[in-house]
Amino acid sequence: MEKKAKVNASILIIGNEILSGRTQDTNTSTIATWLNSIGVSVAEVRVIPDVEETIVETLNFLRSTYDYVFTTGGIGPTHDDITSESIANAFNQKYTVNSEAFKILENYYPYGEFNKGRQRMAMMPEGANLIPNPLTAAPGFYFKNIYVLPGVPVIMKQMINYVLQNIEKGEAKKIVTINTNLYESTIAEELALIQKNNPECSIGSYPYFNYTEKTGGVNIVVSSWTLEKIDHIINEIIKMISLMGGKSSIV
């Protein structure tokens, strides 16, 4: 698809298991990294429970605010998998069997194993388009600007490849990380001045420590959606580190 100047998105993680801490969310990092790499800016991430009213309310806000909404979780075969029905309700759309999804699942499972629970995975908003699942067959779907993916990370990663090939892309974000052995408190004032003088970029500092070796430093991340080049900012930061007696490297 043709690129445009700015495309944004939000990520909606749905699942009580994430909020309880029983399951660690890695999908946000995967989706955000891939979207940013193709010029889609992730502007917001939310984690919500398997509660229909909450899902509908959150979806209606996000879909009207951002170009795309990516959801994970809640499209399996059990009673608490209510994402698909909630999306149908958010659009006042009929929640029904998708015949294509039904056929895919029916052909995938051995005779007699395509039970009612598994048949629920073919239920979607009427008019939904399928997202292929090369691992376990059960498809995701997209409807309008909402892309609905499973919560299982290894399956989601395979399915998002298809999504990223079929969405509108923007100009890729320019991003460089500079590592220094200086501490954050040492460079904070000068780094703030460089940020002030370069408002079209974002400069973040992320300290790290090695308690065993009693060493530490900072990773400085410089990024911009709008600047054609950020080399001059990188050079300015490296020069600042050198003048303060520190070492630096691009990582």
Side-chain angles (χ1 to χ4, degrees), residues 1 3 9 29-40 42 68 70 131-132 142 147 149 156-170:
M1 286 193 175
K3 292 183 179 180
S29 175
T30 299
I31 296 172
T33 299
W34 288 10
L35 288 176
N36 278 287
S37 73
I38 62 168
V40 179
V42 177
Y68 297 113
F70 292 84
I131 300 173
Y142 61 96
Y147 286 77
L149 297 160
M156 190 280 296
K157 285 181 181 179
Q158 294 296 318
M159 294 172 67
I160 201 172
N161 280 320
Y162 173 86
V163 174
L164 297 185
Q165 294 169 13
N166 291 277
I167 65 172
E168 190 171 29
K169 300 170 179 63

Side-chain angles (χ1 to χ4, degrees), residues 195-202 223-227 230 233:
Q195 174 69 89
K196 182 179 179 180
N197 293 335
N198 296 278
E200 286 191 85
C201 80
S202 173
S223 61
S224 177
W225 287 103
T226 56
L227 293 174
I230 57 175
I233 303 170

Side-chain angles (χ1 to χ4, degrees), residues 52 55-64 66-67 69 71 83-95 124-126 128 141-148:
E52 183 177 333
I55 297 172
V56 170
E57 181 181 343
T58 306
L59 275 172
N60 280 334
F61 171 78
L62 295 177
R63 70 185 178 90
S64 63
Y66 303 107
D67 295 319
V69 182
T71 78
T83 296
S84 299
E85 185 173 5
S86 298
I87 291 172
N89 291 337
F91 284 95
N92 292 316
Q93 197 76 8
K94 184 179 180 182
Y95 178 60
M124 300 173 186
E126 188 172 43
F141 66 89
Y142 61 96
F143 188 81
K144 306 292 186 180
N145 64 335
I146 297 178
Y147 286 77
V148 184

Side-chain angles (χ1 to χ4, degrees), residues 151-193:
V152 180
V154 67
I155 302 175
M156 190 280 296
K157 285 181 181 179
Q158 294 296 318
M159 294 172 67
I160 201 172
N161 280 320
Y162 173 86
V163 174
L164 297 185
Q165 294 169 13
N166 291 277
I167 65 172
E168 190 171 29
K169 300 170 179 63
E171 295 297 329
K173 187 178 187 181
K174 298 164 190 68
I175 183 166
V176 173
T177 300
I178 306 165
N179 173 266
T180 178
N181 62 329
L182 297 179
Y183 289 108
E184 196 172 36
S185 57
T186 304
I187 64 173
E189 188 173 344
E190 290 298 321
L191 201 61
L193 182 61

Side-chain angles (χ1 to χ4, degrees), residues 94-113:
K94 184 179 180 182
Y95 178 60
T96 187
V97 174
N98 181 294
S99 58
E100 185 181 355
F102 190 93
K103 181 179 289 187
I104 289 170
L105 290 164
E106 188 176 36
N107 291 336
Y108 177 77
Y109 289 106
Y111 180 77
E113 293 186 17

